[in-house]
Amino acid sequence: MSEQEAIKTQQVEKYQRRQRKAAEKRMRARSQGAGNGVAAGVRRVPVYVFLIIIMIVQLLPFYLAITTSMKPADDLSSSLIPRLHDIAWSNYSRAINEGGILRAILNSVIVTVVATALVCAIGAMAAYPLARRKTRGNSLIFGLITAVMMVPPLSILVPLYAMLVKMGGVNTYWGIILVLTAMNLPLSIFLYASFIRAVPTAIDEAGMIDGANRFTIFVDLILPTLKPVTATVVIMTINNVWNDYSLSNYILSDPSMQTIAPRVGAFFATQTNNLGVAAACALIGALPVVIAYLFLQRYFIEGMVAGVEK
């Protein structure tokens, strides 16, 4: 074998050793990755179990309401198994005809839509100067607004009711809308102000250079950036207004003006001997907000994630 052939043979063997080492390294990496994947899957098992338990706890009231609404008036058993035959569909017709639940849903829709629109509009406009002008006065106002969120609604019921009686706002749409808008504004202002603080001030400066005033800057430049937090405010306000019972029960005593929560509460009180009708009434009342949440849940999650990132 010549000297050149010996050198070539050594180079070939060296290349083959490198290839074998690289292949062995890839095999070790794959086996280690598979092992890590299995270990990660095992570690997630308690998390999945915890989430399943939370899901069951959340869905259990709906399951109990559905099984109860299927029972006739003479069925007083405590069975949790849903009926597969002789389902008492008349419970739902009685909830509509005798309970006036459709009128209550219409009242809730009117109150919720108007109150939510006012909370978003007033909350965003109030939060803009509080977030942009960092003065002692604004800090004091923002602190008071945050403190108001801690006040229980029923603690102000007596003076609030007396004021509404003098104003003629009891059993009226505008009276309950005014109250629920005021109750939800502090949280709205807090969320909008926290979000606007993370928006670059260069946007405001660019608007000022172009000659725009503060209101124009807010409407044309700031407001379009508030879509994520607006989705969060809308969902939270709808949920609070739609489910409000503590204040609506006293302000709306007329059955024709009652919203969902006080109407369902009154129906439970008058139908204690027929829980099937009362459960059907509660399920019909919950249906619109569940449907609305199914359509808006993507915006709600995006809004919450955007709020955390900001």
Side-chain angles (χ1 to χ4, degrees):
M1 180 182 295
S2 63
E3 184 178 354
Q4 292 182 348
E5 291 176 347
I7 294 172
K8 184 179 293 182
T9 303
Q10 290 177 356
Q11 290 177 345
V12 171
E13 292 176 350
K14 190 175 181 180
Y15 174 76
Q16 291 176 346
R17 285 197 298 272
R18 288 179 179 173
Q19 292 295 321
R20 285 197 297 272
K21 289 181 178 178
E24 292 173 356
K25 191 175 181 179
R26 287 196 294 271
M27 290 293 293
R28 286 197 298 271
R30 288 177 183 174
S31 60
Q32 188 176 4
N36 291 337
V38 174
V42 172
R43 286 197 297 270
R44 291 194 188 102
V45 170
V47 178
Y48 291 142
V49 172
F50 177 74
L51 292 177
I52 290 173
I53 293 173
I54 295 297
M55 183 184 67
I56 292 174
V57 171
Q58 293 288 330
L59 295 179
L60 186 60
F62 289 96
Y63 176 78
L64 295 176
I66 292 172
T67 55
T68 304
S69 68
M70 294 178 177
K71 297 178 181 178
D74 57 350
D75 186 355
L76 301 179
S77 66
S78 59
S79 175
L80 300 180
I81 300 175
R83 298 170 67 92
L84 301 179
H85 56 83
D86 297 333
I87 298 175
W89 296 112
S90 59
N91 289 338
Y92 289 89
S93 61
R94 290 186 62 187
I96 295 173
N97 298 326
E98 299 177 13
I101 194 66
L102 295 184
R103 175 68 187 183
I105 291 176
L106 176 63
N107 293 337
S108 287
V109 169
I110 294 172
V111 172
T112 303
V113 170
V114 177
T116 303
L118 290 175
V119 167
C120 291
I122 299 174
M125 286 190 289
Y128 179 59
L130 292 176
R132 281 294 191 249
R133 297 177 62 85
K134 298 179 181 178
T135 62
R136 290 185 178 179
N138 282 348
S139 298
L140 177 62
I141 293 172
F142 187 75
L144 291 174
I145 291 173
T146 306
V148 169
M149 290 192 296
M150 303 294 110
V151 177
L154 287 180
S155 64
I156 59 172
L157 176 62
V158 174
L160 179 64
Y161 187 82
M163 184 181 68
L164 284 175
V165 169
K166 292 180 180 178
M167 295 171 63
V170 177
N171 288 322
T172 61
Y173 285 130
W174 68 266
I176 189 64
I177 289 172
L178 187 67
V179 171
L180 295 181
T181 299
M183 296 303 297
N184 285 276
L185 263 180
L187 179 60
S188 169
I189 295 173
F190 175 79
L191 292 175
Y192 275 119
S194 301
F195 195 90
I196 292 174
R197 286 195 185 101
V199 177
T201 56
I203 296 177
D204 302 54
E205 295 169 358
M208 291 178 182
I209 292 174
D210 291 340
N213 56 34
R214 282 289 183 183
F215 183 76
T216 304
I217 292 172
F218 170 72
V219 173
D220 294 341
L221 302 179
I222 301 299
L223 202 56
T225 67
L226 303 182
K227 290 180 180 178
V229 69
T230 299
T232 304
V233 172
V234 167
I235 292 290
M236 297 182 72
T237 306
I238 288 176
N239 187 56
N240 292 339
V241 174
W242 188 274
N243 296 320
D244 179 75
Y245 177 80
S246 56
L247 295 175
S248 301
N249 188 43
Y250 295 97
I251 298 173
L252 300 175
S253 56
D254 185 353
S256 64
M257 292 298 297
Q258 284 183 330
T259 53
I260 287 288
R263 191 68 202 132
V264 171
F267 203 63
F268 265 94
T270 57
Q271 296 288 338
T272 52
N273 59 341
N274 194 343
L275 293 179
V277 180
C281 186
L283 287 173
I284 294 173
L287 195 60
V289 73
V290 172
I291 294 174
Y293 180 76
L294 291 178
F295 284 101
L296 295 174
Q297 62 175 335
R298 181 169 65 89
Y299 299 100
F300 177 70
I301 295 172
E302 289 178 355
M304 294 299 290
V305 172
V308 171
E309 290 176 350
K310 291 290 184 182

